[in-house]
């Protein structure tokens, strides 16, 4: 990245902060330690932000920094931890695999949502994305009963799950491992 615009860095970091925390927390085991590691990760990311390629996804790039900070955290606390470095490396690999699968499921969900009929997609967006409206609120707005909407949402969720599983299977990922 040619510019080291602090506001751009903050925007990108804030969008990805929760995902980074989800990555770090199981690897350090304590929320306060995870917050510390996340702060160290943010500092390291800022130092190298001019090397970030905005054409590439930020999160995988940032996870590499978080990985290094997790390892450094465990090295600093060596006498307080029962985890060996090979075990930490194994946990890091497992966590990366899990995050990669989560991202692929999210991408599959986006593609599946695009393929829904417009009315179904709008119902899902109104219920979960845009307004996070309750089924009772949607029933009042649409003039349908809550029971009808619950059934419709259940049908749509089943369709989405089947679609996601098909897309993952087409990519060689079994639904059991995803």
């Amino acid at each position: 990245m040619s510019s080291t615009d602090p506001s751009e860095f903050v925007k990108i970091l804030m969008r990805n902060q929760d995902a980074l925390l989800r990555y770090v927390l199981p690897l350090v085991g304590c929320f306060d330690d995870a917050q510390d590691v996340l702060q160290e990760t943010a500092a390291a990311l800022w130092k190298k932000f001019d090397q970030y390629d905005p054409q590439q996804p930020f999160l995988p790039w940032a996870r590499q920094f978080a990985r290094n900070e997790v390892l450094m955290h465990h090295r600093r606390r060596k006498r307080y931890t029962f985890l060996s470095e090979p075990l930490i490396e194994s946990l890091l690999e497992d966590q990366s695999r899990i995050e990669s699968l989560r991202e692929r499921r999210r991408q599959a969900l986006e593609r599946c949502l695009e393929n829904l009929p417009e009315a179904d997609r709008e119902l899902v967006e109104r219920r979960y994305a845009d307004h996070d409206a309750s089924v009772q609120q949607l029933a009042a707005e649409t003039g349908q009963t809550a029971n009808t909407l619950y059934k419709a949402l259940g049908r749509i969720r089943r369709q989405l799950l089947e679609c996601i599983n098909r897309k993952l299977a087409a990519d060689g990922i079994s639904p059991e491992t995803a």
Side-chain angles (χ1 to χ4, degrees):
M1 184 171 255
S2 59
S3 159
T4 54
D5 179 6
S7 65
E8 187 62 27
F9 173 76
V10 170
K11 285 182 208 171
I12 294 171
L13 183 62
M14 294 304 292
R15 271 196 313 265
N16 292 279
Q17 185 172 341
D18 290 344
L20 282 171
L21 185 59
R22 281 193 311 272
Y23 177 76
V24 169
L25 184 57
L27 300 169
V28 297
C30 168
F31 187 77
D32 290 338
D33 288 348
Q35 290 282 43
D36 291 344
V37 169
L38 190 59
Q39 289 299 317
E40 294 297 325
T41 300
L45 287 167
W46 172 246
K47 288 177 189 172
K48 300 287 185 172
F49 191 59
D50 62 333
Q51 297 174 17
Y52 169 63
D53 178 0
Q55 302 303 314
Q56 300 299 315
F58 179 80
L59 194 54
W61 183 73
R63 274 196 211 115
Q64 291 303 311
F65 288 84
R67 174 188 179 96
N68 293 338
E69 295 302 328
V70 165
L71 287 170
M72 288 174 56
H73 168 79
H74 283 290
R75 286 181 190 131
R76 285 190 302 265
R77 298 183 48 104
K78 192 164 194 89
R79 65 180 171 188
Y80 301 111
T81 185
F82 61 90
L83 302 176
S84 67
E85 192 148 330
L87 179 58
I88 294 167
E89 287 287 346
S90 177
L91 290 170
L92 285 164
E93 288 173 20
D94 287 348
Q95 191 66 8
S96 291
R97 183 184 53 77
I98 289 166
E99 287 295 324
S100 175
L101 284 171
R102 182 178 288 133
E103 178 61 19
R104 291 179 82 171
R105 287 185 68 82
R106 188 194 61 73
Q107 290 171 353
L109 173 60
E110 283 181 5
R111 292 192 318 257
C112 292
L113 282 168
E114 291 171 0
N115 294 330
L116 281 177
E118 185 175 342
D120 287 352
R121 187 174 54 253
E122 285 178 10
L123 178 60
V124 168
E125 287 173 357
R126 290 179 71 197
R127 171 65 177 102
Y128 299 109
D130 294 341
H131 307 291
D132 200 21
S134 72
V135 172
Q136 288 74 21
Q137 288 173 312
L138 289 174
E141 291 173 14
T142 63
Q144 296 178 316
T145 68
N147 190 41
T148 299
L149 290 176
Y150 276 119
K151 288 179 181 179
L153 287 166
R155 174 186 51 78
I156 295 167
R157 284 192 295 261
R158 282 190 301 280
Q159 287 175 336
L160 288 171
L161 179 61
E162 290 169 4
C163 177
I164 290 167
N165 288 339
R166 279 193 311 274
K167 291 195 178 303
L168 292 175
D171 290 343
I173 301 170
S174 74
E176 294 82 34
T177 61

